[in-house]
């Protein structure tokens, strides 16, 4: 965690305040998904990101409506029955539930998120869908509550860019993957250099 | 490069798209040319495989023919 503090302090931000601001933003996405944010959400976003209708069929609306991803991890490779998947920054659980259906009863999915309101929605959605192969744990991307070399696949969607220490987040992804395990990530690419003054604005980190 | 440095090989961005235009609230995504992307990578089978990927990162970029005097 010291590396996090150094990176965030480098741009004049406090790590705890930054995480609190990100949590507040995503608590709002959990509680009021229709409110309107500076990113798309829900089913329209899933269509924009080319999610197949068959993946979304049977996924409870509570998980779909708070979806706030930026890409499509499932377009990057097949997730097979019996595999173990970690979903980092799972939010209300849409990708974890889709993955749970792909891995079936012989596989396992662990969804990790730092926002309790999102985890509550995700757990309720998993119960509603009757999916027992998925569990949800509270934690940070830089300190995953997952054993070494547990996963066949790590997925994440629109979350790496929110992590204060992206290098630590990537190293955690490598730690929890088995050798030859796959990383399938949706995130963002910033094509223009972000000035230091913009990096100091918490609202630019939270979206 | 950060992905390889973190312990991966075979990094590849497969898709990019403007996923922020038309969002309900205006944001700064367009100011920075922000796109949604999909990328994949693989954890190497062995340390040697990773070291080979790291070594490839450090290779020199050959000069273009037009730059050779």
């Amino acid at each position: 965690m010291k590396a996090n503090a150094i990176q965030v302090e480098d741009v004049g931000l406090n790590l705890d305040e930054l995480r609190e601001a990100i949590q507040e933003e995503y608590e709002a996405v959990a509680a009021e998904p229709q409110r309107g944010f500076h990113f798309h959400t829900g089913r329209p976003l899933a269509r924009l990101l080319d999610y197949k209708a068959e993946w979304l069929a049977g996924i409870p609306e509570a998980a779909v409506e708070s979806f706030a991803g930026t890409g499509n991890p499932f377009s990057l490779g097949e997730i097979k029955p019996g595999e173990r998947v970690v979903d980092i920054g799972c939010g209300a659980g849409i990708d974890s539930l889709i993955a749970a259906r792909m891995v079936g009863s012989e596989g396992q999915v662990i969804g990790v998120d730092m926002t309790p309101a999102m985890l509550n929605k995700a757990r309720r959605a998993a119960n509603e869908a009757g999916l027992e192969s998925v569990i949800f744990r509270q934690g940070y991307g830089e300190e995953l509550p997952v054993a070494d070399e547990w996963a066949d696949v790590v997925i994440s969607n629109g979350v790496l860019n929110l992590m204060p220490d992206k290098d630590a987040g990537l190293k955690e992804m490598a730690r929890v993957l088995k050798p030859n395990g796959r990383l399938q990530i949706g995130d963002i690419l910033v094509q223009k250099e972000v000035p230091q003054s913009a990096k100091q604005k918490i609202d630019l980190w939270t979206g | 490069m950060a992905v390889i440095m973190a312990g991966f090989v075979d990094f590849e961005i497969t898709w990019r798209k403007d996923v922020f235009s038309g969002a309900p609230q205006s944001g700064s995504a367009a100011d920075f040319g922000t796109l949604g992307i999909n990328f994949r990578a693989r954890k190497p089978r062995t340390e040697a495989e990773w070291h080979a990927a790291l070594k490839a990162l450090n290779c020199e970029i050959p000069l273009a023919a037009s730059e050779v005097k």
Side-chain angles (χ1 to χ4, degrees):
Chain A
M1 293 314 304
K2 284 179 182 166
N4 282 0
I6 290 165
Q7 275 200 351
V8 172
E9 284 168 4
D10 283 349
V11 292
L13 293 175
N14 174 281
L15 176 64
D16 293 333
E17 286 177 11
L18 178 57
R19 282 181 166 160
E20 194 175 317
I22 293 169
Q23 273 194 330
E24 278 178 17
E25 177 82 350
Y26 287 89
E27 279 169 5
V29 179
E32 304 172 79
Q34 314 303 331
R35 191 177 85 180
F37 300 88
H38 52 279
F39 43 84
H40 293 283
T41 55
R43 204 168 289 275
L45 174 62
R47 278 195 294 270
L48 180 69
L49 300 177
D50 300 327
Y51 274 57
K52 294 181 182 176
E54 68 205 57
W55 298 341
L56 297 174
I59 302 296
E61 193 56 31
V64 177
E65 67 182 2
S66 293
F67 176 47
T70 58
N72 182 339
F74 303 105
S75 71
L76 289 160
E78 182 189 4
I79 292 177
K80 303 179 191 76
E83 288 193 315
R84 290 176 169 180
V85 178
V86 176
D87 179 11
I88 301 170
C90 63
I94 181 172
D95 287 343
S96 294
L97 300 188
I98 292 171
R101 290 218 306 226
M102 291 176 170
V103 302
S105 58
E106 299 299 309
Q108 286 179 280
V109 178
I110 299 175
V112 179
D113 204 280
M114 69 175 184
T115 304
M118 283 292 195
L119 290 167
N120 290 339
K121 281 193 100 169
R123 289 181 179 122
R124 285 200 303 270
N127 285 339
E128 186 182 332
L131 290 165
E132 296 179 352
S133 57
V134 58
I135 60 170
F136 295 96
R137 294 177 179 166
Q138 187 171 7
Y140 297 118
E142 299 98 330
E143 298 170 83
L144 291 173
V146 179
D148 293 355
E149 301 190 354
W150 182 85
D152 298 288
V153 188
V154 165
I155 62 173
S156 183
N157 200 348
V159 172
L160 184 59
N161 68 90
L162 298 173
M163 288 187 203
D165 188 340
K166 290 152 188 52
D167 291 341
L170 285 164
K171 284 177 183 166
E172 276 293 89
M173 294 175 188
R175 179 184 66 78
V176 302
L177 274 171
K178 297 174 185 174
N180 209 35
R182 292 113 63 200
L183 188 65
Q184 301 185 185
I185 305 290
D187 207 73
I188 63 169
L189 176 70
V190 179
Q191 299 183 100
K192 296 178 187 169
E193 188 169 350
V194 180
Q196 191 76 355
S197 58
K199 290 177 184 171
Q200 292 166 338
K201 291 182 180 172
I202 280 190
D203 62 322
L204 291 185
W205 284 76
T206 59
Chain B
M1 192 165 103
V3 178
I4 304 296
M5 296 290 287
F8 290 96
V9 298
D10 297 343
F11 170 77
E12 179 186 16
I13 296 175
T14 64
W15 173 95
R16 59 188 77 196
K17 183 176 186 175
D18 176 2
V19 298
F20 291 99
S21 289
Q25 285 186 32
S26 62
S28 58
D31 298 342
F32 302 112
T34 310
L35 301 174
I37 61 167
N38 293 329
F39 72 84
R40 63 184 160 210
R42 183 175 59 80
K43 183 170 176 174
R45 289 185 181 87
T46 63
E47 281 277 311
E49 189 182 7
W50 182 53
H51 285 296
L54 282 176
K55 194 174 174 186
L57 278 183
N58 294 325
C59 70
E60 289 182 21
I61 299 170
L63 290 172
S66 60
E67 295 176 275
V68 178
K69 304 289 182 191

